[in-house]
Structure formats: structure tokens, C-alpha cells
Amino acid sequence: THGSTVSQLTVPILYNDRSMGVIVIESPMKDHFNQNDINFIQQLADQSALAILNASLFDEAQRRYQDQSRLYLVSSRLVATKDLDDVLITSVQAISSMLDSPITSIYLRHPSSDGFSHQYQMERNNPNSLRYPEHIPHDFLDDLPPISVSRASLLHTQLDDPLHANLYYHQQWEALVLPLKVDHQVVGMIVSHVPSNHYLSREEVQLINAILAQGAIAMQNARLFGDVREGRDRLAAVLDSVGDGVLMVDASGTITLGNQSVCRLLEIKPGELDRTKMASLNPRHLAALGYTADESLMLDRSASPEAQPTSKLYTYQDFHLQRTLAPVHDEHNEVIGWVIVIRDV
């Protein structure tokens, strides 16, 4: 009314006695609003309350759906890979995208190290050229509050320390320190800058913690898988240096490893028989190993603690060979597999 208001009708928008807004109508005319107007606006306010509530519930449902979709996609990528570098990159990308951070880095703690080593960094529009140190001491997290209190500021410690000078708090940005934990043990951390006035909601904290938990477990699994693969590669290298053919079979009769000598005997490529059942080998391969189809089936039926090494002489093509079968026992004297050695005699 451009300052000429004489009459005003104000009706609150209420839902279960909770104020959701207000409808204000002004008029330059005195006593302009009657009871019918009041009743109509009241009905409009009631309908507006339901519309606002429905819109709010829809937005909440959409947000939850987006959060669940994001967590599902991140989890799927983490589960699908056993490569540590892929796990690190996926974790950093997820946190960086969620927080819309200009710079996010991930650190890992190594058993032989006295702190955390920088592994991977992602930058997006880094206006202040923020940079992170290559190494962070193991006690750095001791004085920081948990993420659940909304943020873990790097200003909680003295800034004259070179470490904290590198993690300097610029006017518009503040660093979040997100520990990665497995069984209450910190295995690493993600450091990400966010706007200093950005408030982390409870839902954001829950999603961040879920991503951190998934990432930490995936990192541990990737490390364990890497250790197993490294041990297997070392074993394969040792076996390849042996002139005899060596085949390793688990208690179910599944081939787990064959060296180059046995691959040459069978005329196959290295690794071609991995995860193959002995009983499913073709007759020529079984004959090369000194087995019949019935004998190969016995490998997964005779795994008793009393199993002893056995030896057999046989002829394959123009070769006179000796096959030695030895059981492999665990610490409880249970047979967990077999080693087959083929020697040219």
C-alpha cells in the first residue's frame, strides 16, 4: 500500500500449534476486512500449512534419497575394488564432493611410522593456494574434538608450529580433520577445507561418518589383500625358480597356484588353471599329472589329519615322471590343502 495502510489482516500459518509462517494483507481502506474475509484467509492459512508441510517432507525425503544414493554409490565403488589407491581416491572424492571443498587430502598411518603420511589430494578452485604438509605427527588428533561437535578446527593448537602454519586458517576457510577408524584404531585421516561459516547438520555428520567408516574398512581390506597378493607373488617367484613342477590345491580340490614348470608340462599359460577344480581338468591334463578322473575326485574326500605324503611313478608321453602328493596342515593339524610335485626321473 506504499505506506498508506489503514487496515491490516494478519493470520498465522499453524500446524499442531507450531508456527510455520504468517499471511499479512493490508488495505488503505478503514475497516476493510469482514468476518467472511477472516474465515477465507484462515482456510487459506490452514491449506498453506499443509502445503508447506508436504513440501518440507518432500524435500526431506529427496535429501534422504540423495544421501542414501550417494552412500550406496560410494559403498559400491569401495566394495568393488581391492586396490588401495582406488579406495583412497574414492574416499577423497566422496568427501570433497559432499563438502564442496576446494582442497581435500587423505593421510594414512603406517605401523612403522610415527605419524600420518600424505597419500592423495584433490583440488577444486583452490583460491588461496591452500597446501597440506607431507607428514603429520601421530599425536595431532589428540587435542581435536570429534566431528560430532560440528567441526574439528586446526586452530585448536598453536599456529607458530610449522605444521599448523601449513594448515593455516584462511579468513574464508577452515579445515576439517576427519579420522578414519577401524575397531577404534585410527588408520588414517581426511583433511578438507570448508567455508568457515558452514554449519554441519546432524544429517551431514551422519553421512560423513558413514562414508568414513566404509572408507576405513575398505582401506584395511585393500591393505590385507595387498599383503596376501604380495606374499603370493613372492611364493610364485620362489616356486618358479624350482625345476620341478609344483601345483598347490586347497582342501576342496581347487587349484590355487601352479608354477611355470607345471604350466609347461600341461602346455598352458601361467594362471590359467587358478581356481579350477582338479576333478574338472580334461583327461590330457590329468594324465600329465599322473591322475585318473576318479583319483582327482579323492583330493577333496581324503583330507583327514592322518593324511601322509604319497608318491607315484608314471609315464606321460616320452617322460618318466614321479608325482609326490603332500598334505598341508594348519595349527590344529587339520588338512587345509595339498602340494603336488612333479619330477622328471
Side-chain angles (χ1 to χ4, degrees), residues 227-278:
D227 292 342
V228 171
R229 181 172 54 190
E230 184 178 343
R232 175 188 169 89
D233 291 343
R234 285 199 299 266
L235 176 61
V238 171
L239 295 181
D240 287 340
S241 65
V242 178
D244 299 334
V246 179
L247 200 66
M248 304 187 73
V249 183
D250 67 17
S252 68
T254 302
I255 298 171
T256 60
L257 185 64
N259 71 347
Q260 293 182 1
S261 295
V262 81
C263 290
R264 285 194 296 267
L265 175 65
L266 301 179
E267 299 178 350
I268 59 173
K269 297 178 181 179
E272 189 173 327
L273 291 183
D274 288 1
R275 310 313 304 170
T276 300
K277 285 279 191 177
M278 282 285 294

Side-chain angles (χ1 to χ4, degrees), residues 71-111:
L71 181 59
Y72 173 77
L73 291 174
V74 172
S75 300
S76 298
R77 290 184 60 185
L78 291 174
V79 170
T81 181
K82 296 181 177 66
D83 183 78
L84 181 59
D85 289 339
D86 289 343
V87 172
L88 299 180
I89 293 172
T90 298
S91 300
V92 168
Q93 288 177 341
I95 295 296
S96 176
S97 173
M98 179 180 173
L99 297 176
D100 194 23
S101 171
I103 177 172
T104 304
S105 288
I106 190 167
Y107 292 79
L108 288 185
R109 185 173 189 173
H110 298 281

Side-chain angles (χ1 to χ4, degrees), residues 191-310:
V191 182
S192 184
H193 268 71
V194 296
S196 56
N197 60 354
H198 177 71
Y199 172 75
L200 289 177
S201 66
R202 182 182 63 180
E203 291 76 15
E204 284 181 305
V205 171
Q206 290 175 345
L207 182 57
I208 288 174
N209 284 331
I211 292 176
L212 294 176
Q214 294 274 357
I217 294 173
M219 289 173 200
Q220 286 294 88
N221 291 340
R223 277 181 161 176
L224 292 174
F225 180 80
D227 292 342
V228 171
R229 181 172 54 190
E230 184 178 343
R232 175 188 169 89
D233 291 343
R234 285 199 299 266
L235 176 61
V238 171
L239 295 181
D240 287 340
S241 65
V242 178
D244 299 334
V246 179
L247 200 66
M248 304 187 73
V249 183
D250 67 17
S252 68
T254 302
I255 298 171
T256 60
L257 185 64
N259 71 347
Q260 293 182 1
S261 295
V262 81
C263 290
R264 285 194 296 267
L265 175 65
L266 301 179
E267 299 178 350
I268 59 173
K269 297 178 181 179
E272 189 173 327
L273 291 183
D274 288 1
R275 310 313 304 170
T276 300
K277 285 279 191 177
M278 282 285 294
S280 66
L281 295 180
N282 62 50
R284 185 176 66 84
H285 287 163
L286 286 174
L289 298 173
Y291 280 98
T292 64
D294 292 337
E295 288 175 329
S296 66
L297 288 171
M298 295 302 296
L299 277 180
D300 58 353
R301 298 177 183 174
S302 58
S304 65
E306 294 78 20
Q308 298 294 323
T310 60

Side-chain angles (χ1 to χ4, degrees), residues 133-187:
E134 290 297 319
H135 183 79
I136 294 180
H138 67 87
D139 58 354
F140 176 76
L141 294 174
D142 293 347
D143 298 327
L144 294 178
I147 183 178
S148 57
V149 301
S150 80
R151 67 178 63 248
S153 171
L154 297 179
L155 291 180
H156 285 222
T157 48
Q158 61 274 24
L159 284 175
D160 55 350
D161 188 315
L163 166 66
H164 304 103
N166 286 335
L167 293 167
Y168 186 71
Y169 168 74
H170 294 265
Q171 291 182 351
Q172 296 85 15
W173 303 97
E174 187 172 12
L176 286 179
V177 180
L178 313 174
L180 296 160
K181 297 182 179 180
V182 176
D183 295 331
H184 305 292
Q185 180 182 3
V186 178
V187 298

